[in-house]
Amino acid sequence: MPKSFTELGLSEELLRIVADQGYEKATPIQQQAIPVVLEGKDVLAGAQTGTGKTAGFTLPLLHRLQREREQQERGQASQGKRAKRKIRALILVPTRELAAQVDESVQTYGKGLGFRSMVIFGGVSIVPQISRLRQGVDIVVATPGRLLDHMSQGTMDLRQVHTLVLDEADRMLDMGFIRDIRKVLAVLPPKRQNLLFSATFSDEIRHLASDLLNRPVEIQVARRNTTAAKVSQIVHPVDKKRKRDLLSYLISANNWRQVLVFTRTKHGANRLAEQLCKDDLNAAAIHGNKSQGARTRALAGFKANKVRVLVATDIAARGLDIEQLPHVVNYELPNVAEDYVHRIGRTGRAGQMGHAISLVCVDEKKLLRDIEKLLGKDLERVVVDSFEPDESIRPEPIQNGRGGRSPRGPKSPRNNRAPRGAKKASPSRRRRRPSTSS
Ligand code: AMP
């Protein structure tokens, strides 16, 4: 039975804020997580983006901070002094985008409560971050790299942290942040509440969880590796060198207005966005090598329907809060089958029908098989008229491809799959309607 927020034990102020947001019922992760976090217990939660997990940890966290402040104020009233703000909650996230979004949620859900939060990530000047820290904050949302910079410069005091949240922990491990996370853990007070959120549970996550969490309550809301029932998934077999033409064609012929396209590499994302612009499709790339300003602009343009095609790498797209996206295109299949599930989880949200398309060349057959194995079903193949694959082309190994995850994230080495401008598509391609009504 869906529960309303009033049954979960949150303060009047928080209930009012939730009502202001227009939330009527708590989502499953919120129903399960909020009472447990309010009790002060550790949590191990399996939940993907889009489940409402951010409110699931932020609301009870704010409630606990409120209660703590009330207690302190009672104590201080008798002693007649006011304590300086100290960081009491630390939320670690894998990417800058997610950091910005979680901070936005903290500000939304904490509006008018008088707590200060701030976001800390790299790629921007550290100086304003230092001065804000000096002014005093209650809640910090951070990516691990820049957090360590602050720790090593002594600009951040984490000795009063009593609540730690690891959000999208699986992604943080994928990005190679495990050592950074352990360094942060080493300076936190041992007595604290720990909340670990992860979409998937690898052995590595379980290992981290067993070190970090103290008798956690386990919550699972989205079964692992399941794809949303409301997403139609279609594979278009096509030659590698014709993918870009097919993509332009599908977008134009079907008049798609807001398309998220995934490439495997940052370089590939840049190149494709440039090429689509030449096809008169307003496109922008978003990935870890872009400045924060460029990423924010691209995302804002996309949300405002000014940018029609957003080309992203898996890492950059992770955690982007774009709701009810109608079309997701896998321009290249991901190297890791689970990433396919994350990618197409961007579409078909909130009861809307989503549309996930994969352009698959002969080199990617093995990747496609891996994905189908993970999904437990075959995906429908639709050959688009005049884009039939050339059967005589032999598969080539995918560079940067097989054999597990490649190092990724802001510190990853640049990865050039193909020389810049390697192929030029013929401008006079004959165009016909695709054989699908997609
Ligand atoms: P998240 O999984 O935390 O990224 O949240 C996904 C989206 O769901 C966000 O845009 C939230 O504003 C929205 N949301 C969170 N909780 C609720 C709720 N109880 N009812 C409706 N929308 C919600």
Side-chain angles (χ1 to χ4, degrees), residues 124-144:
V124 294
S125 167
I126 199 167
V127 179
Q129 295 177 354
I130 293 173
S131 59
R132 185 151 171 90
L133 282 167
R134 278 210 194 103
Q135 288 160 20
V137 287
D138 304 288
I139 304 167
V140 166
V141 185
T143 56

Side-chain angles (χ1 to χ4, degrees), residues 3 5 18 21-30 34 47-59 98 101-102 105 108-109 167-168 319-323 346 349-350:
K3 277 190 185 169
F5 280 97
V18 164
Q21 288 301 304
Y23 300 170
E24 285 167 9
K25 295 270 181 280
T27 66
I29 186 76
Q30 291 162 0
I34 290 173
Q48 300 188 338
T49 304
T51 53
K53 65 184 166 71
T54 316
F57 61 76
T58 306
L59 292 170
L98 188 60
Q101 283 167 24
V102 170
S105 296
T108 305
Y109 301 135
D167 193 12
E168 303 204 352
L320 287 184
D321 184 18
I322 312 168
E323 283 172 73
R346 305 261 135 231
R349 292 211 192 153

